Amino acid sequence: MKDQLPLIMNNRAGMIQELKKAMELYSDLGFEYLPLKRANILNLISGGAVLDYKPDRGSPSQQVAEQTADYYSNKETALEELRNEIGDCHRCKLSTGRKNIVFGEGKADADIMFIGEGPGRDEDIQARPFVGDAGKLLTNLILKLGLQRQDVYIANIVKCRPPNNRNPEEDEISICGPFVERQIAIINPKVIVCLGKISAQTIIRSKITISKLRGNFHSYNDIPVMPTFHPAYLLRNPKDKWLTWEDMQKVLEKLK
Ligand code: URA
C-alpha cells in the first residue's frame, strides 16, 4: 500500500485535471450539472477510483461524455419501452372509441413537463398531444416563454380520447394514470405544469378546484407542480390568460 501511494497521488492529480477539463468543456456547452453516477463521484472522492483508474479505458472526459450520452439515450429508450408496453392498449373502455393512442412527445430530458387531461379529436387523429385549437394556444404560450415545443415534454393523464371530449372517469384515470406517472419518473422534470382540473387533481391527489390550486406550487414526489388553467378554458375565457401567464412566470423563476 505504501509503495502504491505516489502512484495513487500521481494518477489522482491527473484524473482530477482531466475531470476539471471535462467539467469546463460541459460548462462551456451550457450544462449546469453532469449526470454522473453517484458511485463514481464517491469513488473519486474516496480515492477508490484512483486504484481502478486505467488510462487505457479512455480519459475521464471521454468517460463523462459517454455517460452523458448514455443518460440521455437511456431516457429515450425508457420512454420507447414504456410506449411498447402500452401496446395496442385495451385496458379500459376508452380504447373502444379511440383512433390512436396519444402517448406524449417532446424532450426526454425536459426541464418542464406539461400534463393535460386527455386527447381531443385532433389529437386522436394525429396521435400527438395538444395539436388542436387548445394545443395552438399552448404552443404559443411555450413560444412566448422563449422555448420551443421540442424543449418541453407534453403528455396527458389518459392516453385515449374520451367520447365527445367528456372528462375521463375515475376508473379510466386509475388504469391509465400509472403510465403518466412512469413518464414523470423517466423524464424527472424540474417542474410539472398541470393543465386544468383533471390533471392537477390527479397529480397532486386533491379535490380542490383549479381556481384555488393554480398559482401556487404543490409537490409530486418532490417535483414542484404548478397547476394552471387548461388551454381550452382559456380559449373560452381569454380574460384569464394573464393568470396563466403569471403562473408560468413562477415556473420560469423556479427553473433559474
Ligand atoms: N386537451 C388535453 O387535455 N390534451 C390534449 O392533448 C388536447 C386537448
Side-chain angles (χ1 to χ4, degrees), residues 10 20 28 40 52 56 59 72 86 106 155 167 180 190 220 243 249 255:
N10 275 346
K20 197 164 164 262
D28 288 347
N40 293 358
D52 283 348
D56 60 354
S59 70
Y72 292 128
I86 292 173
N167 287 345
V180 80
K190 290 192 180 135
Y220 170 87
L243 291 170
Q249 297 312 306
L255 291 175

Side-chain angles (χ1 to χ4, degrees), residues 102 115-120 123 128-132 134-135 154-156 195 230-232:
V102 181
I115 303 179
E117 175 180 314
E123 290 76 19
R128 295 183 57 210
F130 282 99
V131 288
I154 307 177
N156 281 303
L195 302 166
H230 192 284

